[in-house]
Amino acid sequence: RARRPGRRLLSISDSYNAKQLWDKGFKGEHIKVAIFDTGIDAKHRSFKHIEDRSNWTDEDTLEDRLGHGTFVAGVVAGKHPDCHGFAEEAEIHTFRVFTQRQMSFTSWFLDAFNYAIQTRMNILNLSIGGPDYRDQPFIDKVWEMSANNIIVVSAIGNDGPLWGTLNNPADQPDVIGVGGIDYKFNLAAFSSRGMTTWELPAGYGRVKPDIVA
């Protein structure tokens, strides 16, 4: 569709005034970001530093045939002028843990988590979540990553507006749970919300999401 003269698309990084951080030199340089998703389009021209691609599924491919993983990586480190990511100098490491049928298993995540620890990721992004907070091997491995100084960021879920709808692992105290907002910067109706339950019955839980975007 043709654009009107003089009009410019507003990217998400513009909305959050990321340029203020870029001007201070914070562009993600030397930061290793693990994207756990559907992979990435390695030939996409909007990335500077795709450092590693790994596949943990039962499909014999590294390609992102759904586009979701490429989109998430673009939010983190895309360099396209019309849709700029937040940290274009960040090192992108993609972990393909979902098939093109959008299927995954705990065992695939555990293997991939171990590799993330071994390769010393700084930040790990999970655009996933679910109600299975009793998946103890998964939960323990998330805590292990925090113990190894990996900052884990995870979507809080799309099960709002009811209270008590937090998804795992974003409901864990050591994970940064990210909620959604609408175009007026209010908490989106679909965004999950509530209090953590890990502290009960010994104490009160903590309100989540931790941040919204």
Side-chain angles (χ1 to χ4, degrees):
R1 187 175 63 178
R3 297 186 197 166
R4 295 180 183 176
R7 290 194 67 182
R8 180 176 178 272
L9 296 176
L10 185 66
S11 71
I12 188 170
S13 57
D14 292 331
S15 299
Y16 289 93
N17 298 317
K19 191 175 184 300
Q20 294 183 11
L21 293 175
W22 300 340
D23 291 342
K24 295 179 180 179
F26 297 107
K27 296 182 178 181
E29 191 173 5
H30 304 307
I31 301 300
K32 299 166 73 173
V33 181
I35 307 292
F36 277 57
D37 215 288
T38 59
I40 193 170
D41 180 357
K43 297 179 181 179
H44 204 292
R45 293 179 294 177
S46 293
F47 299 101
K48 283 187 175 182
H49 307 292
I50 300 177
E51 298 296 327
D52 185 37
R53 297 191 301 158
S54 57
N55 174 43
W56 304 91
T57 74
D58 59 2
E59 294 179 337
D60 188 19
T61 181
L62 289 167
E63 298 305 316
D64 180 11
R65 295 174 178 172
L66 292 175
H68 191 271
T70 302
F71 164 76
V72 172
V75 173
V76 174
K79 66 180 182 67
H80 194 283
D82 284 339
C83 192
H84 213 289
F86 283 95
E88 68 174 32
E89 298 295 342
E91 300 177 8
I92 296 297
H93 298 250
T94 61
F95 295 68
R96 190 174 186 270
V97 290
F98 283 93
T99 68
Q100 61 181 333
R101 302 182 305 278
Q102 303 181 51
M103 292 182 59
S104 189
F105 295 93
T106 295
S107 59
W108 297 350
F109 272 92
L110 296 183
D111 289 341
F113 285 153
N114 283 329
Y115 186 61
I117 293 172
Q118 180 183 3
T119 51
R120 299 182 181 276
M121 294 294 107
N122 300 119
I123 300 171
L124 191 149
N125 181 84
L126 294 165
S127 298
I128 57 100
D132 193 4
Y133 60 91
R134 298 194 178 211
D135 188 350
Q136 200 62 48
F138 184 96
I139 291 166
D140 288 344
K141 190 60 65 175
V142 171
W143 280 330
E144 183 180 342
M145 286 191 295
S146 296
N148 280 273
N149 298 317
I150 298 175
I151 299 172
V152 181
V153 183
S154 183
I156 204 72
N158 298 330
D159 300 316
L162 296 179
W163 191 259
T165 51
L166 303 180
N167 281 207
N168 180 264
D171 66 332
Q172 294 182 225
D174 52 348
V175 174
I176 299 175
V178 183
I181 57 174
D182 59 25
Y183 288 104
K184 294 182 179 180
F185 290 90
N186 297 316
L187 185 65
F190 64 79
S191 187
S192 297
R193 64 205 71 189
M195 297 179 72
T196 60
T197 58
W198 303 94
E199 303 87 346
L200 301 176
Y204 289 102
R206 185 169 92 229
V207 175
K208 288 220 178 197
D210 299 296
I211 59 175
V212 294

